DNA sequence: TATGAATGAGAGTTCATTCAT
DNA sequence: AATGAATGAACTCTCATTCAT
């Protein structure tokens, strides 16, 4: 959670700023992180930040955009694979856990700071989030229609149940805990699939 | 989420302040809520606030203390009931959903603003939270030891899985949605119990 | 133009701030005057300024409101007097010169900084200004209708002609110049009346 | 007041910059206009601006120099004409009105932004302004000495009276108002001449 | 002749908190 | 028990200008 930021080396300034902001937003929260802290952590001046980003909020949005893009791409790949629905859902469910643990900072920011975005940007992020949710739900529904998943619970609720646990990871997961990220991922995917047994 | 606050009536000033603060913290976040806004919403002056509370942070802690107390009491009651373990877990799992929905503002604050507390107070809240978690975990383990719940997943993880979905409620639950709070609670408890089938 | 400001004495803080702001706005212009300079000149802190005024712009508006109020009152008094129209116009025309010279700072600010007000406040000031203009015009028209003033020039234009010269005072008038303010006032009023001879 | 600026065409870059700056200074004031806005309006980059002009202030001074040169030339022409003094003054007085209305942007900048120049440049502009004033005053005095103008008012004051109204034009004159610029000019010149009748 | 990344100082404003009353 | 004036530090953001290319 506290990787060092390259403050003067070869990494381009915008990336340096984004990395520093991500770390600080995750550690201290968006409102508690001052622009001054960000530029100091990135080894540049305020002017440089405002040369590349229109506002502090833009930095936050960039963090969102990056993680959303990544997760959507991965979900699409797993969902489109040529495998049985049970397997595709299990792998997608496990992958989102692994990816989230790999980017715990982004995840923490995502779920904690979304309400700091202006209504306009918030709407945009929610829309992309919705698209992600629906792709996942389609997998659940596909299995329900095929009769391999129980229909006892509405698919929407099933998805929210699983995403809740993903969301929660940044609260309790520690890299030095008893379980590796893959083990956690397998367990959580397993819980989902077991709950869906007819 | 936006109940009116009694700004001048008979409610004692400290309660009025707490109610106003809860609503505003949930709506706009802790950092985005100014002390001025709180006292205006409560119909008192700054001096009055600082007469009853030592700081803005104290208000936040009071919100936590209240919700933690309430949830611990309810969990204890369900866990100590004289019923089969399967039923006790189901009812505890459903109740925490209902209680959370009944106090969505508190829940939103809880999961979003904990890092705004000073390290000392944070530690205290985490300790109480831990106690709550462990009581819940004990229920799962009891069922596992009795052979009615699967032991495929560590009990800790099971608890985090469920709490994740509770935590997530404030993100997606809307009172005017298709499901009543009781229906949501039953579904989520059902998912938990189904996942625990041996 | 550079009266000393009471920085710590008995004058109430709002007045001190207004006096300091007036002097600095006149000397350096609104945009060139920083809030920091104002509070230093008034011997208070920024917090105190924002306790009494909502913004820097509010200070500017207060300067306007004060001078508009004063001038309207005086004009009304002269216009309502029980004297021949020729005399009433002459005295009103001379008085606005004297009053303007007495408050050269306000006048300089008035004509130089009005466009710094937000559209909303600008509109409000223009409306009050318009009222003043129309009262003055009514005097000219009264004389024209009575046949004592020439109708060769539209009354509106006559008023703008005179006010232009008043406006211009802050550009050239110096207290240590060859003419006293009363002499200047009499000359300018005389020019107006002479121009209006049939 | 808002002529479009040729942002990419054949007009040389310095002229384009000057035109854009003039329009923006008049619309928003000197301090409120950023160098960035000027170069964007002119369709060039900052580097280009600083290639041709040493500073933002230099742009302002160029605007002044241009209008001063123009007005001095025209006044000299009218003053030197071979006509009776009464006619020469009337025509000069009317011409400055027409020229000012033709360049209302420059006029607005002139009277509002002079104090934004550095002391050195300010002094220079005032000196040229003084020369213009004195040429005009000489006309008044010539008529007074010839007995065709009243000597009741000092010539200096007469000139300031007229210039005040010229200065004031940018405050009230609107191209779509009831009077054409020529009509306004004739009226204002007439007021001056009528005031000077012995 | 022109670019545009980067600077660094300073802008207006907000805010939790204190304290004399 | 309660007021509200005042503090002072921190906040986000702007801007004219420079300079390597």
């Amino acid at each position: 959670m506290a990787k060092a930021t390259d403050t003067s080396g070869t990494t381009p300034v915008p990336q340096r700023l984004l990395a520093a902001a991500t770390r600080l937003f995750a550690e201290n929260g968006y409102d508690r992180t001052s622009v001054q802290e960000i530029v100091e952590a990135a080894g540049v001046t305020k002017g440089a930040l405002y040369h590349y980003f229109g506002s502090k909020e833009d930095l936050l949005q960039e963090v969102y955009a990056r993680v959303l893009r990544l997760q959507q791409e991965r979900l699409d790949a797993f969902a489109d694979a040529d495998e049985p629905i049970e397997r595709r859902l299990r792998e997608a469910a496990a992958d989102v856990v692994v990816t989230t643990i790999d980017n715990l900072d982004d995840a923490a920011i995502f779920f904690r700071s979304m309400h700091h975005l202006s209504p306009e940007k918030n709407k945009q992020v929610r829309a992309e989030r919705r698209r992600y949710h629906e792709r996942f739900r389609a997998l659940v529904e596909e299995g329900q229609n095929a009769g391999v998943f129980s229909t006892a619970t509405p698919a929407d609720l099933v998805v929210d149940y699983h995403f809740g646990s993903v969301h929660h990871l940044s609260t309790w997961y520690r890299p030095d805990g008893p379980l590796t990220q893959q083990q956690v991922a397998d367990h959580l995917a397993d819980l989902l699939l077991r709950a869906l047994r007819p």
Side-chain angles (χ1 to χ4, degrees), chain A residues 71 93 96-97 100 104 107-108 110-111 129 132-133 136 155-173 184 188 191-192:
Chain A
Q71 297 208 322
V96 66
V97 173
T100 298
L104 264 194
F110 199 97
F111 294 111
R129 191 74 197 146
Y132 183 76
H133 178 104
F136 208 97
D156 258 333
L157 211 51
V158 173
V159 175
D160 278 321
Y161 198 62
H162 186 67
F163 283 175
S165 77
V166 172
H167 172 166
H168 204 46
L169 283 168
S170 59
T171 300
W172 65 266
Y173 182 82
V184 172
L188 294 183
L191 281 171
L192 175 66

Side-chain angles (χ1 to χ4, degrees), chain A residues 17-195:
Chain A
L17 283 165
L18 220 41
T22 301
R23 180 168 56 81
L24 290 165
F25 288 166
E27 273 172 16
N28 311 322
Y30 176 77
D31 276 333
R32 308 287 251 237
T33 303
S34 74
V35 168
Q36 189 59 43
E37 286 170 326
I38 298 172
V39 299
E40 273 168 19
V44 300
T45 60
K46 279 190 206 172
L49 186 155
Y50 283 95
H51 182 71
Y52 291 106
F53 298 91
S55 65
K56 185 184 169 188
E57 206 192 334
D58 278 6
L59 270 170
L60 180 57
Q61 203 195 13
E62 260 307 295
V63 175
Y64 284 142
R66 213 179 39 191
V67 58
L68 282 169
R69 225 181 295 127
L70 176 70
Q71 297 208 322
Q72 186 75 46
E73 275 168 17
R74 300 190 66 95
L75 173 57
D76 288 344
F78 281 104
D80 291 340
D82 184 21
E83 305 201 35
I85 177 62
E86 213 175 335
R87 178 123 190 231
R88 276 183 285 144
L89 180 61
R90 182 183 294 273
E91 296 198 333
D95 181 71
V96 66
V97 173
V98 171
T99 310
T100 298
I101 292 181
D102 271 342
N103 300 278
L104 264 194
D105 277 359
D106 300 78
I109 296 170
F110 199 97
F111 294 111
R112 226 188 262 148
S113 306
M114 209 155 98
H115 58 294
H116 290 321
L117 284 177
S118 65
E120 189 191 1
K121 287 179 179 162
N122 202 316
K123 202 174 161 185
Q124 194 181 326
V125 170
R126 292 185 110 85
E128 295 193 56
R129 191 74 197 146
R130 182 94 214 131
R131 208 176 117 231
Y132 183 76
H133 178 104
E134 277 167 13
R135 189 76 168 94
F136 208 97
R137 189 189 58 187
L139 285 179
V140 174
E141 283 174 341
E142 186 183 336
Q144 287 177 324
N145 292 338
V148 294
F149 295 157
S150 159
T151 57
T153 321
D156 258 333
L157 211 51
V158 173
V159 175
D160 278 321
Y161 198 62
H162 186 67
F163 283 175
S165 77
V166 172
H167 172 166
H168 204 46
L169 283 168
S170 59
T171 300
W172 65 266
Y173 182 82
R174 296 289 170 268
D176 54 351
L179 298 173
T180 67
Q181 42 178 279
Q182 191 59 53
Q183 287 173 321
V184 172
D186 290 339
H187 275 310
L188 294 183
D190 194 51
L191 281 171
L192 175 66
L193 271 290
R194 295 171 67 87

